[in-house]
Amino acid sequence: MGVYGYFNRPVYDDDTQIRKTWDIEEIRNVAHKFSFLMANNERDRAIAECWVTDPEYTKDASYGKNWGYYVGLDEVKKYLTDPERVARYVAGQQPMTSWVVEMAHNDNTAQAVFYCIWWEVNKDDEGKDVANWYGAKVGVDFVKQADGWKIWHYFMGADIYCPAGGSFNEQPSTITETPGWDHPMKADFGTPTLPMDAYTVKYNWSHYPPLPTPHDTYAETVNCGPTGNPNYKG
């Protein structure tokens, strides 16, 4: 991957540095737009405007959580726009904080990691509104198409969960490894096209998605999709 390291990165001239800084703002903007459109339940629009459209990338576009990945843009869209899921959704918002973004030296791709602490309200099986707080580490791979930066791989590693008005003490500290207790996001995630143990909070932190570092170009083994996951078995 040609990782430079934070203290040995290339030196760019002023014009290049300005362009890269602007690109990073555009990258953040795409992620924020996706978040707001999903919060508005405009899911088809969120995918059409924020995700990759070039066949080169749609074939392995992915959306993942602790329990695996939906792979291929058609599968991602099928999951995110599922009519039952859309009907249950009432309201929510996913603010993004603690951003780290690194563009590849060749300017074609970028990697980002940030943290989300968010709330969401959904209807339960009896039609009652149920509100929850969540916390998750999010990693995203972006690719630059002719019409700008787009989401390629999106991974959300769920950490903490708490019912509104409840206590974080009500959940096990090892939420993905405790027998008889499932994270509430697990049932909602369904059966992904690539089931796997993709994220764990057993030790209260995970090294995946990887913290982005300066790099030459995109690499199959260092990314926010399935092939970048240390538990991936191709």
Side-chain angles (χ1 to χ4, degrees):
M1 191 176 178
V3 175
Y4 293 110
Y6 282 104
F7 303 102
N8 191 31
R9 66 170 67 237
V11 177
Y12 300 114
D13 59 38
D14 289 348
D15 287 344
T16 302
Q17 192 69 272
I18 290 170
R19 176 177 53 77
K20 285 181 175 289
T21 300
W22 181 254
D23 275 330
I24 288 175
E25 288 302 310
E26 290 293 312
I27 287 166
R28 292 175 189 255
N29 191 52
V30 170
H32 293 153
K33 183 177 182 180
F34 176 66
S35 176
F36 273 105
L37 289 174
M38 290 294 289
N40 292 342
N41 225 6
E42 298 180 76
R43 302 185 179 216
D44 286 300
R45 182 183 170 194
I47 295 171
E49 296 184 12
C50 301
W51 280 72
V52 290
T53 55
D54 289 353
E56 177 183 357
Y57 304 111
T58 58
K59 62 184 179 183
D60 67 342
S62 63
Y63 184 94
K65 290 184 180 177
N66 302 40
W67 310 277
Y69 302 82
Y70 288 90
V71 181
L73 190 63
D74 288 344
E75 292 297 320
V76 172
K77 184 175 181 178
K78 187 185 301 182
Y79 165 67
L80 291 178
T81 64
D82 175 67
E84 183 179 345
R85 182 169 290 104
V86 172
R88 286 202 312 267
Y89 178 81
V90 177
Q93 189 55 266
Q94 294 184 2
M96 302 169 180
T97 187
S98 303
W99 278 81
V100 178
V101 184
E102 289 287 350
M103 286 177 56
H105 181 56
N106 67 5
D107 296 338
N108 290 335
T109 59
Q111 293 180 352
V113 165
F114 51 88
Y115 205 83
C116 278
I117 299 177
W118 81 98
W119 61 273
E120 188 168 303
V121 181
N122 290 280
K123 292 189 178 296
D124 63 15
D125 293 339
E126 298 177 354
K128 179 183 177 182
D129 291 350
V130 178
N132 289 308
W133 287 98
Y134 299 97
K137 181 183 178 183
V138 182
V140 187
D141 293 323
F142 299 86
V143 64
K144 195 171 189 179
Q145 298 185 158
D147 57 344
W149 288 95
K150 303 293 180 180
I151 296 170
W152 185 9
H153 305 127
Y154 195 104
F155 184 84
M156 177 176 284
D159 289 324
I160 56 177
Y161 143 77
C162 179
S167 169
F168 286 115
N169 292 331
E170 295 173 7
Q171 69 164 1
S173 59
T174 55
I175 61 175
T176 55
E177 289 80 20
T178 301
W181 195 94
D182 282 329
H183 194 290
M185 290 173 65
K186 183 176 182 179
D188 176 77
F189 195 56
T191 304
T193 51
L194 180 59
M196 63 182 289
D197 182 12
Y199 184 88
T200 177
V201 293
K202 184 174 182 180
Y203 301 106
N204 298 315
W205 195 247
S206 172
H207 294 294
Y208 177 87
L211 189 66
T213 57
H215 54 284
D216 291 323
T217 186
Y218 173 82
E220 286 292 332
T221 55
V222 187
N223 60 68
C224 301
T227 63
N229 194 301
N231 292 334
Y232 176 72
K233 295 178 175 61

